[in-house]
Amino acid sequence: MRIILLGTPGAGKGTQAKILSEKLHLPHISTGDILRQNVKQGTELGLKAKAFMERGELVPDELVTQMLVQRIAQSDTRDGFILDGYPRNIIQAESLDAMLLKEDVKIDFIFYLDADEAVIIQRLMGRLVCSVCGANFHIKNMPPKNDMVCDNCGGRLYQRDDDNRETIKKRLEVYRNESSPLVQYYQKQQKLYRLSSNEEPEVVLGKIMRIIEKRHDCLKN
Ligand code: AMP
């Protein structure tokens, strides 16, 4: 099964992708995570991407698309994947369509997570990320049991450099200008499900799972 999660930063794509990945036994592919890893390791890609990420701008399409082609070519994606953070504009969506066409496979579900701006800003300003396993926490909404320590793996929690008020504003502007046309693009392919994601993660997950299970029941009958 191939799933795309669309939505603004802070809409809950990463959180849902992680839970879905475990539930459905599919790899979670987050272009943001792969880029951050490259920045941390100081690779050539990381050095090229760093300044764009710090400014809250999109990393150039050719760099990100090449990175995704390499990731999707790995054998663990044979039965599908959960894509989080790609595509970010129409050019990337067209590149993804071409990649999938070449492999003769299709996207099954595109979930557009829609949250209010006040919720998004509150989530991003308080977000904590585990430096080891990537799990997300929140200073208020989902605090770790021990201060700045990951409940899952004991790794150190940190605040992302781009989760500051100024960069968040820029990322939301970039989303509006470059990513929001994707909703119409995928609506035309009739695979887009629009869901409110203001609620707690379990509630949003329930809505996603009901849609997936309903389609599967239809296929079984
Ligand atoms: P994210 O973790 O998805 O919020 O992404 C963090 C940052 O990584 C973004 O603000 C962009 O600078 C960069 N990025 C992630 N995915 C993409 C993409 N598909 N295209 C361009 N830039 C991306």
Side-chain angles (χ1 to χ4, degrees), residues 85-99:
Y86 190 102
R88 282 289 234 273
N89 58 30
I90 300 288
I91 292 176
Q92 293 185 10
E94 288 171 348
S95 300
L96 179 64
D97 280 347
M99 265 180 247

Side-chain angles (χ1 to χ4, degrees), residues 7-10 13-14 30-36 49-61 63-65 67-68 84-89 92 124 127 160 162-163 167 171 174 178:
T8 60
K13 302 185 298 296
S30 155
T31 46
D33 281 353
I34 305 175
L35 286 167
R36 275 185 291 280
K50 191 169 186 274
F52 293 99
M53 295 172 77
E54 278 172 357
R55 291 195 298 265
E57 293 170 10
L58 294 186
V59 174
D61 293 331
L63 293 179
V64 186
T65 298
M67 180 184 95
L68 186 75
D84 153 22
Y86 190 102
R88 282 289 234 273
N89 58 30
Q92 293 185 10
L124 294 176
R127 172 159 68 181
R160 272 172 51 172
D162 57 354
D163 280 346
T167 315
R171 285 156 68 204
V174 167
E178 305 196 38

Side-chain angles (χ1 to χ4, degrees), residues 2 21 25-35 37-38 45 62-84 86 96 99-100 103:
R2 290 167 190 83
S21 161
H25 309 290
L26 293 171
H28 168 200
I29 303 181
S30 155
T31 46
D33 281 353
I34 305 175
L35 286 167
Q37 187 96 33
N38 275 274
L45 169 63
E62 53 285 6
L63 293 179
V64 186
T65 298
Q66 196 190 3
M67 180 184 95
L68 186 75
V69 168
Q70 285 169 5
R71 180 63 188 90
I72 285 189
Q74 290 174 19
S75 59
D76 64 336
T77 66
R78 206 181 37 222
D79 295 331
F81 49 73
I82 321 267
L83 204 46
D84 153 22
Y86 190 102
L96 179 64
M99 265 180 247
L100 299 173
E103 301 295 322

Side-chain angles (χ1 to χ4, degrees), residues 119-139:
V119 173
I120 290 166
I121 292 172
Q122 196 266 0
R123 278 184 188 158
L124 294 176
M125 293 291 292
R127 172 159 68 181
L128 298 171
V129 184
C130 175
S131 55
V132 178
C133 72
N136 279 344
F137 295 85
H138 190 277
I139 291 171

Side-chain angles (χ1 to χ4, degrees), residues 63-213:
L63 293 179
V64 186
T65 298
Q66 196 190 3
M67 180 184 95
L68 186 75
V69 168
Q70 285 169 5
R71 180 63 188 90
I72 285 189
Q74 290 174 19
S75 59
D76 64 336
T77 66
R78 206 181 37 222
D79 295 331
F81 49 73
I82 321 267
L83 204 46
D84 153 22
Y86 190 102
R88 282 289 234 273
N89 58 30
I90 300 288
I91 292 176
Q92 293 185 10
E94 288 171 348
S95 300
L96 179 64
D97 280 347
M99 265 180 247
L100 299 173
L101 190 67
K102 223 166 117 189
E103 301 295 322
D104 197 22
V105 294
K106 288 194 167 72
I107 295 293
D108 300 285
F109 298 97
I110 298 147
F111 295 108
Y112 168 46
L113 306 183
D114 192 10
D116 294 343
E117 188 156 319
V119 173
I120 290 166
I121 292 172
Q122 196 266 0
R123 278 184 188 158
L124 294 176
M125 293 291 292
R127 172 159 68 181
L128 298 171
V129 184
C130 175
S131 55
V132 178
C133 72
N136 279 344
F137 295 85
H138 190 277
I139 291 171
K140 263 209 195 122
N141 309 352
M142 209 202 300
K145 288 194 191 96
N146 296 312
D147 195 27
M148 298 310 271
V149 176
C150 176
D151 292 357
N152 304 337
C153 75
R156 191 184 54 80
L157 303 182
Y158 72 100
Q159 274 199 294
R160 272 172 51 172
D161 291 342
D162 57 354
D163 280 346
N164 64 71
R165 198 172 283 280
E166 198 188 328
T167 315
I168 291 170
K169 219 172 117 201
K170 177 68 186 171
R171 285 156 68 204
L172 292 178
E173 183 193 313
V174 167
Y175 177 85
R176 270 192 295 274
N177 294 338
E178 305 196 38
S179 309
S180 64
L182 290 170
V183 173
Q184 219 189 351
Y185 180 88
Y186 284 123
Q187 244 159 5
K188 283 194 196 137
Q189 298 191 2
Q190 300 190 328
K191 288 179 198 155
L192 186 101
Y193 297 86
R194 190 187 196 121
L195 307 172
S196 156
S197 64
N198 286 326
E199 302 90 337
E200 297 298 302
E202 310 80 61
V203 178
V204 179
L205 178 71
K207 293 193 245 182
I208 293 178
M209 287 309 293
R210 272 193 293 282
I211 292 168
I212 293 177
E213 282 159 8

